[in-house]
Amino acid sequence: MQLKLYNSLTGEKEIFKPILEGNVGMYVCGPTVYSNVHLGNVRTFLSFDFIYRTLMHLGYKVRYVRNITDAGHLTDDGNVDNDRFVKQTRLEKLEPMEIVQKYTVDFHKVLEMFNLLPPNIEPTATGHIVEQIELTQKLIERGFAYESNGSVYFDVLEYNKRGLNYGELSKRNIEELFANTRDLDGQGEKKNPQDFALWKKASPAHIMRWNSPWGEGFPGWHLECTAMSTKYLGEKFDIHGGGMDLKFPHHECEIAQGKACNDTAPVNYWMHANMLTMNSQRMSKSTGNYILPMQLVTGENDFFEKPFHPSIVRFCFLQAHYRSVLDISNDAMIASEKGFIRLMEALKALNSVTPDNEKQSEFNLQEWKNKCYDALNDDFNSPILIAHLFEAVKYIFALNDGKETISAEDLEDLKSTLHAFIFDVLGLQNIEENNNEKLDQTLKVLIELRNQARKSKNFDLSDQIRDKLLAEGIELKDGRDGTTYVLN
Ligand code: AMP
Ligand code: ZN
């Protein structure tokens, strides 16, 4: 079985051939840490977490790099004074690096809640200013960039004159781009409106600033990803990912910077995850059409009728393919919750199945496994994988009802395969097991408190703890090795 993935650059599903056999270098654009991540952001990072997990499960050794954008960069409207970091520092009356720290911590907490694995390297833009200055110098030396009034711009026209093709990823025609660009930022500084900033001169209001050969300023956003991806993965690496909305201009500019610096396209496979929508509109902070992950998990929102466990949110996201738009709704979450519970019940039921080596089963385990792997190898098709998991669920319940049979060997195989798909690849967590663990820890704390009460001869309190637990169906038993509990 060969892994195929959809390459946004060619618009085709291609057989994946890593540069170094058995190894994958993957870079994913990380968050801009000036505010809390919303659920839409989480979907993109979760899509790549699933891709990362799948690659590892398929046997690849992956170096996964995901950056943190913590240096101020231009806004969508191109106006330097609208820099998101600068605005937020004013709003919250905090130092820029306090903003960065606050929202980086929040980002990590949120991703951990949804059971995302950390990347192997998580570099920050502010930690790579030197590299970005060096790249800018190289681009000037090679004639692809020019200085203007303390800022440095990439010369898109020059790039195209040399037979390179600006617009190849977003399939935009350069003439069209020149005609349609508004020149809000750097008015009069650029040779052409389409030129993009590699380095920006800092205005007096701009507090995040560094020294450079062109005076005090800060790096352009596109440059940080080129600097960090090539530093840790090489001038050419396997996979570059991000949300669909980053294709243009961000990723287009990364390709141009990479080619202009190193005479080679920086990335073999470009992968783009599709958007999360709510009320059929893209989730976004700027339009107000968003929900924070914590609001969904605690139930503190007006959109969903109840709270949902992070694992159910994760399951819901993975029921859509990463390249499809997913519209989040109360009904979709309720349906996912039902499916998730059934999947977990099947896993539990599997533990009480008795194997039978005599009878033949209708269910062909090997064929089923092949179908699951086909789904994974077919551009990471999580919804098809999940559909196959439910075929196994049906089989397990038939086994439980004595309507089907399984050999001892197949039973072990089915158990370990299901565990691998559900927990390692899909990254789901067994809520019930988690809850049991929590209950166990809580009861141990109560037993300890009761022991302390008894030691200090506060028998009133120790009896109260015992009696109240008993009323809840939890019986404490004092033995020679200490106190244990029984759930009645
Ligand atoms: P940002 O912090 O704005 O750079 O966004 C972080 C990541 O979230 C980027 O890869 C975006 O493409 C992605 N993203 C933003 N909005 C959405 C959305 N509604 N659905 C899915 N991904 C999104
Ligand atoms: Zn990036």
Side-chain angles (χ1 to χ4, degrees), residues 30-39 41 45 68-70 84-89 91-92 94 96 98-108 110 284-286 290 292-293:
T32 311
V33 283
Y34 71 101
S35 72
N36 304 95
V37 278
H38 60 65
L39 207 60
N41 303 130
F45 297 122
I68 298 275
T69 295
D70 60 349
R84 299 172 195 173
F85 284 97
V86 175
K87 271 186 159 176
Q88 202 64 21
T89 49
L91 204 68
E92 297 197 38
L94 292 174
E98 281 182 298
I99 296 282
V100 164
Q101 179 68 9
K102 178 175 170 185
Y103 294 112
T104 303
V105 168
D106 171 78
F107 171 67
H108 286 152
V110 168
S284 145
K285 270 263 167 91
S286 56
Y290 71 91
L292 296 180

Side-chain angles (χ1 to χ4, degrees), residues 29-32 38 40-41 43-45 84 242-246 274-276 282-283:
C29 293
T32 311
H38 60 65
N41 303 130
R43 184 187 179 205
T44 286
F45 297 122
R84 299 172 195 173
M244 207 74 115
D245 55 330
L246 299 187
N274 216 326
M275 297 289 111
L276 184 73
R282 190 182 134 187
M283 198 170 277

